[in-house]
Amino acid sequence: MFSNIDDSFHSIKNFEFNEARPATADETANWLLDDGPVLRTTWMVYDRQFSDGQRELCATRSVRIKQTGSLPLQHRCRRGESDKRDQNDDDRAKRAKQAVRLRCKAISVDRMVTLTYRENMQDIERLKKDWDLFRRRMGKHKQFHYVATFEKQERGALHIHIAVHGRQVYQLIRAIWQKIVGLTDDGKQGGQINVRDPHKFGFGKHGVHKLAGYISKYITKDQDSHDLNKKRYWSSRGIVVPEKNYYQLPDGADVYEAFSHVMQLAANHNS
């Protein structure tokens, strides 16, 4: 472990890979079998700090190989025709989950409001239209910061989860939603709202990260719900996610040293 962690880091902006490139899966496999080229392993650490004092620290390993010639042009398939469609969709889902989690933390969400239908409503296009009307009407009454996504239950019913900060005017939210949804065929209210109590579910002052993780879990790679070019979540304008600070660990650092760096960074900031 280094005595001064900040002195032993190097900014990624000044880092040179010396004509190295990412190793392919086959090259990494051959290296593990002692039958391939010498690879270079580097560790990168990132630190992201939010306005309310929360921090995210992570160490990532990168395996690279020296490039002796120009890289071949990457073959690109038409959108939606790649033989790696499942992997690509999984990657998109992961990026969407991260975006939801970071946006939730950026506005310090501590409550979750769920918009539901009385009927077993399974029309995704109707849900999107209803949501668009809801957010527009809410925006006329107050500054409405939110991160929202939808859940598809096992029976196929759809509803919307909205993460917000602070107590809301729930009578207003209910009135707007019920007016949009209307009445059922038997004359009953066609929609309702549910509110997750922040303290009962651990989403209080120190539980923002729990709610951020909770709502992001609804982001999936379900093809029935997330076709190409369709959004997986919605968020209000003006949400600023803090940038990550990158650091490269010294050459030769192993996984133990990488973990030690992260723990020392956390200790230095009383985390």
Side-chain angles (χ1 to χ4, degrees):
M1 186 182 300
F2 298 90
S3 58
N4 188 335
I5 193 168
D6 294 324
D7 292 340
S8 58
F9 281 136
H10 304 284
S11 170
I12 191 172
K13 295 180 180 179
N14 300 323
F15 177 58
E16 296 289 343
F17 280 116
N18 297 326
E19 299 182 353
R21 62 173 172 80
T24 65
D26 290 339
E27 289 168 338
T28 303
N30 289 332
W31 172 69
L32 293 174
L33 296 173
D34 294 328
D35 190 28
V38 176
L39 306 183
R40 178 183 180 186
T41 301
T42 61
W43 283 90
M44 303 300 298
V45 173
Y46 78 73
D47 175 15
R48 193 195 304 268
Q49 183 174 5
F50 294 88
S51 59
D52 61 356
Q54 293 186 77
R55 303 182 76 93
E56 285 191 353
L57 300 168
C58 181
T60 304
R61 186 182 66 174
S62 175
V63 180
R64 308 185 73 84
I65 182 174
K66 184 176 178 60
Q67 173 63 26
T68 57
S70 60
L71 289 174
L73 293 177
Q74 184 178 6
H75 175 67
R76 293 184 177 274
C77 300
R78 291 184 179 180
R79 186 169 176 80
E81 297 181 358
S82 172
D83 56 357
K84 297 182 179 180
R85 173 71 181 274
D86 289 340
Q87 180 61 47
N88 293 340
D89 195 68
D90 188 42
D91 292 341
R92 284 192 291 270
K94 289 179 180 179
R95 289 193 295 270
K97 279 187 177 184
Q98 183 185 52
V100 167
R101 179 176 55 80
L102 294 177
R103 281 169 169 75
C104 283
K105 288 191 173 186
I107 60 175
S108 300
V109 299
D110 57 5
R111 288 167 174 79
M112 186 173 74
V113 180
T114 302
L115 309 180
T116 64
Y117 295 87
R118 178 181 290 274
E119 60 180 319
N120 186 3
M121 209 288 291
Q122 302 183 21
D123 186 349
I124 186 65
E125 295 304 323
R126 177 190 171 185
L127 178 137
K128 291 180 178 180
K129 290 179 180 179
D130 289 346
W131 164 254
D132 192 54
L133 281 174
F134 174 81
R135 69 172 184 81
R136 288 176 182 273
R137 293 180 183 179
M138 281 294 298
K140 293 180 180 180
H141 293 275
K142 62 175 294 185
Q143 187 178 20
F144 184 48
H145 276 306
Y146 62 85
V147 181
T149 186
F150 64 91
E151 177 186 3
K152 183 177 182 180
Q153 297 180 322
E154 291 184 4
R155 65 190 180 105
L158 297 168
H159 52 251
I160 302 170
H161 295 297
I162 312 170
V164 296
H165 172 72
R167 184 173 178 81
Q168 307 294 305
V169 182
Y170 300 120
Q171 295 87 343
L172 175 64
I173 294 177
R174 182 180 293 106
I176 291 177
W177 180 243
Q178 289 182 343
K179 186 174 182 180
I180 291 172
V181 175
L183 302 176
T184 60
D185 294 337
D186 56 3
K188 296 181 180 180
Q189 290 288 350
Q192 189 54 270
I193 72 167
N194 297 314
V195 181
R196 284 290 182 99
D197 182 89
H199 300 291
K200 180 179 179 181
F201 290 90
F203 300 154
K205 180 178 179 181
H206 303 292
V208 174
H209 63 286
K210 294 182 181 179
L211 179 52
Y214 185 88
I215 194 171
S216 67
K217 77 176 185 178
Y218 293 112
I219 304 293
T220 69
K221 63 172 184 176
D222 182 5
Q223 289 295 330
D224 294 333
S225 301
H226 304 300
D227 293 332
L228 288 172
N229 298 320
K230 290 189 177 181
K231 290 209 63 169
R232 301 168 186 264
Y233 68 93
W234 304 280
S235 63
S236 55
R237 295 181 179 180
I239 297 179
V240 179
V241 176
E243 295 291 334
K244 294 187 292 187
N245 293 318
Y246 287 89
Y247 306 93
Q248 181 210 344
L249 273 64
D251 292 341
D254 57 20
V255 62
Y256 172 77
E257 291 173 313
F259 180 75
S260 298
H261 275 267
V262 171
M263 295 303 292
Q264 187 175 337
L265 269 177
N268 290 345
H269 294 95
N270 297 319
S271 300

